[in-house]
C-alpha cells in the first residue's frame, strides 16, 4: 500500500517539524549574535562622526530657544539672561551632544537664585527647557554698612542671596537677624550655625510672623551646653518691644526643651487671651521654652524733684 503524501501547504509534523524549529532558533540566535557583535562597531563609528554631525547649524541651540521655569514674584533678576551671558552655553551647544544636559545643569546650578535644577529637556527643532526650583528669601541679616545698616537676604538654609535683586522695601519687611559678623560669597551658605538656626526659625514662623508682630531674631553670642549637647538659643523681639525667650532652633534643642509646635501654641494662646504684642503696654518678656513665664513691663516712675536737687548738691 503506497504511503500517503502530505497535502500541499500542510504543516510539517514529526521529525521534520522538530528540525524546522531547531533551525529557526539557530537563525534567531545568529541574528542576535550579529547585532551584539555589530553594536560596538556602530557605537565607535557614531563617536567618530558625532562631533562633526552635532556641530552642524541645524542642531545648534540659539539663545532665544532656551527657556526655563518662570521667575516667582520675589525674583526680579534676569536669571536666564545671567546664565546665558556668564556660561557661554549657546555658543556651540548641540541637542545631539550627550553632555548637553550635564553642561546645562552645571551652568544653571551655580546661579545664586537657583536652589536645584530639576529637569533639562532637549527638543527639536533645537531648543532647551530647564526646570528649576528657586530660592526664596525668608530673613535678612542686619549688618553695619556704609552710611547705616545693611540688610542681606538669606533663604531657609542660610544661603546669601543677591541683595540688589531684592527691593529694599521688601528686605525691611523680612525677619531681621542681628548680632552676626562676616559673610560668605553670594550664593553660598553661611557657615555660622547661628545663621542657619535663625533661618530655620524664620522659615517655620513665616505663617505667624505678622500675626505675632515679630521684628527681630537675636541669636545668643555663645552656645548653651546641656547633657553634652551644644546649641545656640534665640530671642524674638516684637514690634512693641516684648522679648520672647524662644530657646533653641527647631529640631536643634535638648530633649527636655519643648518642640517648635508646643512653643508656638503656647505663645499664640497667650496672645489670644491677652492681646497682640505690638504695643509698649505688652509684657517685658515671655519665655516659652518649656513653660509660659511672663515678666511684666515695669514703668519708670518720674523722678522726685527733691531727690534731683539733692543729687545736684552732692
Amino acid at each position: 500500500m503506497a504511503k500517503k503524501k502530505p497535502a500541499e501547504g500542510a504543516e510539517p509534523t514529526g521529525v521534520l517539524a522538530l528540525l524546522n524549529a531547531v533551525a529557526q532558533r539557530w537563525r534567531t540566535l545568529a541574528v542576535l549574535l550579529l547585532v551584539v557583535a555589530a553594536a560596538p562597531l556602530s557605537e565607535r563609528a557614531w563617536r567618530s562622526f558625532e562631533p562633526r554631525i552635532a556641530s552642524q547649524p541645524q542642531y545648534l541651540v540659539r539663545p532665544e530657544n532656551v527657556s526655563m521655569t518662570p521667575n516667582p514674584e520675589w525674583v526680579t533678576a534676569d536669571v536666564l539672561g545671567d546664565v546665558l551671558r556668564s556660561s557661554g552655553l549657546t555658543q556651540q551647544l548641540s541637542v545631539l551632544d550627550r553632555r548637553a544636559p550635564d553642561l546645562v545643569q552645571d551652568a544653571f546650578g551655580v546661579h545664586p537664585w537657583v536652589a536645584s535644577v530639576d529637569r533639562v529637556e532637549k527638543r527639536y527643532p533645537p531648543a532647551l527647557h530647564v526646570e528649576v526650583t528657586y530660592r526664596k528669601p525668608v530673613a535678612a541679616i542686619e549688618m553695619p554698612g556704609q552710611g547705616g545698616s545693611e540688610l542681606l537676604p538669606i533663604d531657609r538654609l542660610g544661603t546669601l542671596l543677591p541683595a540688589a535683586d531684592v527691593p529694599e522695601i521688601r528686605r525691611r519687611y523680612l525677619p531681621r537677624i542681628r548680632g552676626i559678623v562676616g559673610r560668605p560669597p553670594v550664593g553660598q551658605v553661611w557657615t555660622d550655625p547661628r545663621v542657619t538656626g535663625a533661618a530655620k526659625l524664620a522659615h517655620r514662623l513665616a505663617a505667624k510672623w505678622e500675626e505675632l508682630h515679630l521684628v527681630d531674631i537675636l541669636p545668643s553670642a555663645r552656645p548653651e551646653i546641656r547633657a553634652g549637647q551644644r546649641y545656640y538659643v534665640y530671642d524674638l523681639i516684637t514690634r512693641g518691644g516684648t522679648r520672647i525667650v524662644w530657646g533653641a532652633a527647631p529640631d536643634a534643642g535638648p530633649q527636655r526643651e519643648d518642640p517648635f509646635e508646643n512653643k508656638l501654641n503656647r505663645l499664640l494662646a497667650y496672645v489670644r487671651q491677652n492681646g497682640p504684642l505690638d504695643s509698649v503696654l505688652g509684657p517685658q518678656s515671655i519665655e516659652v521654652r518649656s513653660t509660659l513665664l511672663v515678666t511684666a513691663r515695669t514703668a519708670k516712675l518720674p523722678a522726685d524733684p527733691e531727690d534731683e536737687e539733692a543729687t545736684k548738691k552732692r
Side-chain angles (χ1 to χ4, degrees), residues 158-239:
T159 307
L160 178 59
L161 303 174
D165 294 342
V166 183
E168 184 177 357
I169 187 65
R170 183 181 182 89
R171 280 181 277 150
R172 290 190 177 279
Y173 278 94
L174 289 171
R176 291 184 307 187
I177 302 170
R178 298 167 61 186
I180 304 298
V181 296
R183 69 179 75 180
V186 174
Q188 299 297 313
V189 176
W190 229 290
T191 57
D192 189 337
R194 298 181 303 159
V195 173
T196 52
K200 184 182 291 187
L201 184 56
H203 174 64
R204 295 285 295 274
L205 284 170
K208 298 294 182 181
W209 190 264
E210 285 299 323
E211 179 182 340
L212 292 170
H213 302 286
L214 300 174
V215 178
D216 295 328
I217 301 176
L218 304 181
S220 59
R222 295 180 177 82
E224 290 188 3
I225 300 176
R226 185 181 298 180
Q229 185 174 353
R230 177 188 175 99
Y231 58 96
Y232 288 91
V233 296
Y234 300 85
D235 290 348
L236 309 174
I237 307 299
T238 72
R239 200 171 300 155

Side-chain angles (χ1 to χ4, degrees), residues 303-314:
D304 189 327
E306 294 184 0
D307 291 340
E308 287 188 356
E309 189 64 27
T311 303
K312 290 179 182 178
K313 291 180 178 180
R314 289 178 184 173

